[in-house]
Amino acid sequence: MGRQRPGTPTLEEVAARAGVGRGTVSRVINNAAGVRDSTRRAVQRAIAELGYVPNLAARSLAGHRADAVALVMTEPDWRLFGEPFFTEIVHAVGDALTDTPVQLLLTLVLTDTERQRFVEYARGGRVDGVLLMSVHAEDPLPDMLAKAGLPTVMLGRRSGEESVTYVDADNAGGARGAVTYLLEAGRSTIGAISGPLDMYVAQCRLRGYHDALESAGVAARSSLVVEGTDFTEESGHRAMTELLDRHPDLDAVFAASDTMAAGALHALRAAGRRVPQDVAVIGFDDFHPARRTDPPLTTVRQPLEEIGRTMVRLLQEEMEDTPVAWRQVILRTELVIRDSA
Amino acid sequence: MGRQRPGTPTLEEVAARAGVGRGTVSRVINNAAGVRDSTRRAVQRAIAELGYVPNLAARSLAGHRADAVALVMTEPDWRLFGEPFFTEIVHAVGDALTDTPVQLLLTLVLTDTERQRFVEYARGGRVDGVLLMSVHAEDPLPDMLAKAGLPTVMLGRRSGEESVTYVDADNAGGARGAVTYLLEAGRSTIGAISGPLDMYVAQCRLRGYHDALESAGVAARSSLVVEGTDFTEESGHRAMTELLDRHPDLDAVFAASDTMAAGALHALRAAGRRVPQDVAVIGFDDFHPARRTDPPLTTVRQPLEEIGRTMVRLLQEEMEDTPVAWRQVILRTELVIRDSA
DNA sequence: ATGAAAGCGCTAACAC
DNA sequence: GTGTTAGCGCTTTCAT
């Protein structure tokens, strides 16, 4: 295995060359105050001449910090890694970290081996904190990290009772808003294409649907709700077909994801319905399938940039010396109307 | 900032508890030979009881290695990060590393700040080697890493004369095979939709097109070649439109990417041509657009799993004690026929 | 303002 | 086989 190149100059050599003590060099490279300007410049020249680069292992060991945080993807279906949802979160988190000296490390933790390796990596002190994405209900990783006392912030939650700090979109509220919009537009027979209900996010979105109906005094009918097997387009297509079968009089649909909404749209077309004239469709999220759809679908958008920023902020707070209690942040969603219902 | 939790047991405490020396504990946690079985078990018990986890900074410092490699994405258009091409490479590299104790770290290096931060991270000894993806011609990162003496392997190249070890697909050969296939199927007027020619990969693919014509004794006509502005669907659409305008008699097209091929397909449809009856289409790569296309397009597939495995193998060799000269590996592509020409 | 010195927790070379 | 010891290169008091 490799190593930091032999012959790499050390802080001590820099000190010797600059004719100062090691402590002074340390102060200079850490931008600490209390160094005479002339001294500082002398040290900087020595650093440049030698091509000195601090040994990060030594710094970690002595300084008790890694200046790095991990952003962990635990999605078993690794193809989802390419989803715009994750891409944008990665970008948002990276952005939030640009003005800090912190290196962002993305890691895929899919198998048990990888989980164990990563926990050793994190507990071993190579990162100061961990950001978690797409954690499934049965994933033990958050608890392992919490038990190890590692600052951790999760995106989404595994259930209503979550044990670690998390940031989530207002799934129930977003769904409620969408369905309310449909009701106010005069739609009355509104179907729901739910995600798999063993996932908390799907439960929340379905609850929002029911809440909206209830607030409007509309009786819920269980035959108007179909649970998809997953959030895919195929699943949405099947669900929509089923829904049309049960309720040919349907005039609107709320789908728990934009991908499912796209599937629903295709099913409606295949059945000869016009969208949105005959049936209005609203999906959750706001990613590429929606963009490629014709007509473009109205969606409930999650504030991904804000989610990323918030995760970083919470993590930084947890990494501060004063340990904070874990917290929850729920961010508002936005209804993006692309075809009027 | 955070730190490895205070009160974390050290190797010394484990040694004390197990009643052995520190060296012995070190041997046990590193699975070194030469430890009596009973001793080993005693140590392991102490480790378990104390919940000991090695401090990786100390290990790095003393052992001169990080047990981690970075996979760097330098794509300025970060949305491409979600492309199946990259997703699959990430997965392939991860797979190749599962049976090693090496932690894979993905990093995005888009801005100058990030480049500098990453180089300090790598030169600082936090990774043993670096894998580079999607490096653009003007990117200084590969040279910075090479100059720092860091084991580095690149995916693709920036030009014919590359200064670091790389793995690339046989772009010219793949294109040649595709065009030869079209010629042998009786197509005679074959257009080429090239990628932007300031990218080496585009040059190679276009050269393969010309090679095939030449081998078949078919005269090349410059009017049959259109250079797209990028590899997108829109670009492919525009190029195809232009091509049809110039050569209504066209009976086949080779596109430098599957995405462009999809765009070409749409343009052909819009012009009333049937695919592949009137015009056969072949694209390079093998990603989702092709799958979603109707009819499915014939493509030149790159062996992504093999590319990932090869990159890891080359990196491991470079990380061995004996410094090896840099090398180049070109991997064969495969023509995947989905609609017969 | 700056130098000296004491670790940080581990690996590896060396003794026994 | 196993204990002992000398660093690895840095941060951080504590003097001065």
Side-chain angles (χ1 to χ4, degrees):
Chain A
M1 288 296 170
R3 65 224 31 151
Q4 191 168 29
R5 255 37 217 172
T8 302
T10 70
L11 180 146
E12 177 133 33
E13 301 178 51
V14 173
R17 172 147 198 150
V20 302
R22 307 192 329 213
T24 304
V25 177
S26 180
R27 283 170 205 125
V28 170
I29 64 180
N30 290 300
N31 280 316
V35 180
R36 200 181 312 158
D37 234 41
S38 59
T39 314
R40 183 180 297 273
R41 268 196 299 276
V43 171
Q44 281 163 338
R45 222 189 50 220
I47 288 176
E49 288 170 355
L50 260 35
Y52 168 74
V53 178
N55 178 315
L56 264 26
R59 173 175 288 176
S60 270
L61 184 56
H64 305 282
R65 65 214 179 70
D67 279 334
V69 305
L71 175 54
V72 182
M73 170 90 184
T74 60
E75 179 59 56
D77 182 358
W78 60 273
R79 287 169 188 283
L80 294 182
F81 188 46
E83 286 293 303
F85 177 81
F86 296 115
T87 310
E88 300 205 11
I89 290 292
V90 169
H91 194 244
V93 169
D95 263 9
L97 249 23
T98 36
D99 294 327
T100 71
V102 176
Q103 172 70 49
L104 177 63
L105 271 13
L106 266 69
T107 59
L108 254 61
V109 178
L110 310 182
T111 66
D112 271 344
T113 313
E114 288 167 347
R115 193 175 356 259
Q116 178 168 356
R117 184 196 291 155
F118 177 75
V119 170
E120 277 177 22
Y121 186 84
R123 294 196 60 186
R126 312 270 328 209
V127 293
D128 298 318
V130 181
L131 298 169
L132 257 24
M133 294 193 288
S134 80
V135 180
H136 283 234
E138 67 289 355
D139 197 322
L141 188 58
D143 305 311
M144 295 168 79
L145 294 171
K147 206 178 306 166
L150 276 149
T152 304
V153 175
M154 203 161 69
L155 170 50
R157 354 167 208 181
R158 297 167 294 174
S159 75
E161 290 274 291
E162 189 49 82
S163 60
V164 300
T165 295
Y166 65 82
V167 179
D168 203 356
D170 182 8
N171 291 304
R176 190 183 330 114
V179 176
T180 301
Y181 167 77
L182 291 170
L183 288 165
E184 288 175 351
R187 310 281 176 171
S188 54
T189 309
I190 305 175
I193 297 180
S194 171
L197 289 170
D198 59 338
M199 294 184 70
Y200 189 67
V201 56
Q203 295 170 27
C204 290
R205 291 177 186 178
L206 184 57
R207 183 156 50 75
Y209 162 84
H210 280 128
D211 288 353
L213 294 184
E214 188 175 342
S215 298
V218 176
R221 286 187 278 169
S222 63
S223 59
L224 274 169
V225 177
V226 178
E227 178 183 355
T229 51
D230 50 44
F231 286 103
T232 62
E233 195 165 326
E234 291 67 36
S235 172
H237 189 103
R238 277 196 304 274
M240 189 70 243
T241 307
E242 169 81 21
L243 224 35
L244 276 176
D245 208 47
R246 294 189 198 161
H247 289 275
D249 57 323
L250 196 86
D251 60 6
V253 189
F254 165 72
S257 84
D258 65 342
T259 318
M260 292 180 108
L265 175 88
H266 294 147
L268 286 167
R269 283 278 183 68
R273 308 298 171 96
R274 290 172 310 153
V275 177
Q277 294 85 346
D278 300 341
V279 181
V281 178
I282 292 188
F284 214 105
D285 299 344
D286 181 29
F287 310 133
H288 55 181
R291 285 185 207 121
R292 291 183 186 167
T293 253
D294 175 36
L297 293 177
T298 291
T299 55
V300 179
R301 173 150 56 193
Q302 307 187 55
L304 297 186
E305 309 75 18
E306 193 181 355
I307 289 177
R309 275 202 311 276
T310 307
M311 290 178 73
V312 169
R313 184 173 54 73
L314 291 180
L315 189 64
Q316 284 171 332
E317 288 176 17
E318 299 220 342
M319 295 189 310
E320 297 296 336
D321 287 330
T322 52
V324 217
W326 57 276
R327 288 145 307 169
Q328 314 80 41
V329 175
I330 310 283
L331 296 174
R332 242 197 313 276
T333 59
E334 178 193 3
L335 188 62
V336 180
I337 299 169
R338 293 221 186 66
D339 60 359
S340 45
Chain B
M1 288 297 170
R3 64 224 32 147
Q4 191 167 28
R5 255 37 218 170
T8 302
T10 70
L11 179 146
E12 177 134 31
E13 301 178 51
V14 173
R17 174 148 196 148
V20 302
R22 306 194 325 211
T24 303
V25 177
S26 180
R27 282 171 204 124
V28 170
I29 62 180
N30 290 299
N31 279 315
V35 180
R36 200 182 310 160
D37 236 41
S38 58
T39 314
R40 182 180 299 274
R41 269 196 298 277
V43 171
Q44 282 163 339
R45 221 188 51 221
I47 288 175
E49 289 171 355
L50 259 34
Y52 168 74
V53 178
N55 177 316
L56 263 26
R59 173 176 287 176
S60 271
L61 184 56
H64 306 282
R65 64 213 178 71
D67 280 334
V69 305
L71 175 53
V72 182
M73 170 90 183
T74 60
E75 178 58 55
D77 183 358
W78 61 271
R79 287 171 186 282
L80 294 181
F81 187 46
E83 285 294 300
F85 178 81
F86 296 114
T87 310
E88 300 204 12
I89 290 293
V90 169
H91 195 244
V93 169
D95 263 10
L97 250 23
T98 36
D99 294 328
T100 72
V102 176
Q103 172 71 49
L104 177 63
L105 271 12
L106 267 68
T107 58
L108 254 61
V109 178
L110 310 183
T111 66
D112 271 342
T113 314
E114 287 168 348
R115 193 174 358 257
Q116 178 167 357
R117 185 196 291 156
F118 177 75
V119 169
E120 277 176 22
Y121 185 84
R123 294 196 62 185
R126 315 271 322 211
V127 294
D128 297 318
V130 180
L131 298 169
L132 256 25
M133 294 194 289
S134 80
V135 181
H136 283 233
E138 66 290 353
D139 197 320
L141 188 57
D143 305 311
M144 295 168 79
L145 295 170
K147 205 177 309 169
L150 277 150
T152 304
V153 175
M154 205 161 68
L155 171 50
R157 356 169 206 179
R158 296 167 294 172
S159 75
E161 291 273 292
E162 189 49 83
S163 61
V164 300
T165 296
Y166 66 82
V167 179
D168 203 356
D170 182 7
N171 290 303
R176 189 185 327 117
V179 175
T180 300
Y181 167 78
L182 291 171
L183 288 165
E184 289 176 350
R187 309 281 177 171
S188 54
T189 309
I190 305 176
I193 296 179
S194 170
L197 289 170
D198 59 338
M199 294 185 71
Y200 189 67
V201 57
Q203 294 170 27
C204 290
R205 290 176 187 180
L206 183 57
R207 183 157 50 75
Y209 162 83
H210 281 127
D211 288 353
L213 294 184
E214 188 176 341
S215 297
V218 176
R221 286 187 279 170
S222 64
S223 59
L224 274 169
V225 177
V226 177
E227 178 182 355
T229 51
D230 51 43
F231 287 102
T232 62
E233 196 165 325
E234 290 68 35
S235 172
H237 190 104
R238 276 197 304 273
M240 189 69 244
T241 306
E242 169 80 22
L243 224 36
L244 277 176
D245 208 45
R246 294 190 198 162
H247 289 275
D249 57 324
L250 195 89
D251 61 5
V253 188
F254 165 72
S257 85
D258 65 342
T259 318
M260 292 179 109
L265 176 91
H266 294 147
L268 286 167
R269 282 278 183 67
R273 308 298 171 95
R274 290 172 309 152
V275 177
Q277 295 86 345
D278 301 340
V279 182
V281 178
I282 292 188
F284 214 105
D285 298 343
D286 181 29
F287 309 134
H288 55 182
R291 286 186 206 119
R292 291 182 186 170
T293 255
D294 177 37
L297 294 177
T298 291
T299 54
V300 179
R301 173 151 57 193
Q302 307 188 55
L304 297 186
E305 309 74 16
E306 193 181 354
I307 288 178
R309 274 202 312 275
T310 308
M311 290 179 73
V312 169
R313 184 172 54 74
L314 290 180
L315 189 65
Q316 284 171 331
E317 289 176 16
E318 298 220 344
M319 295 188 311
E320 296 298 333
D321 286 330
T322 52
V324 217
W326 57 277
R327 287 144 308 166
Q328 314 80 42
V329 176
I330 310 284
L331 296 174
R332 243 198 311 278
T333 59
E334 179 192 3
L335 187 63
V336 181
I337 298 169
R338 294 224 185 65
D339 59 0
S340 45

